[in-house]
Amino acid sequence: MCAHRPSCPAAGSPAARVVTVHVVAAHPEQGWHLLCDGTIVFDDTGELRPDGRVVAPHRVPAGRLAIAA
């Protein structure tokens, strides 16, 4: 699905977490971005993969968040 070079690894592969995948369409007002590998990433850190699999949000527990002064 990638048109750029070097092309990105397949969605869900371990290398996809290391390589920065390009954003094809951004809709921050709706809370999602479409990546060039076909993955839709949501602002709550959840994902919808091109094969239909769902990746649940992986939020940091509130107790571990830094507090700004």
Side-chain angles (χ1 to χ4, degrees), residues 18-46:
V18 178
V19 177
T20 303
V21 191
H22 293 251
V23 174
V24 176
H27 292 277
E29 71 283 357
Q30 296 176 355
W32 62 273
H33 294 78
L34 174 63
L35 304 180
C36 63
D37 64 0
T39 301
I40 299 173
V41 180
F42 298 96
D43 286 350
D44 69 354
T45 68

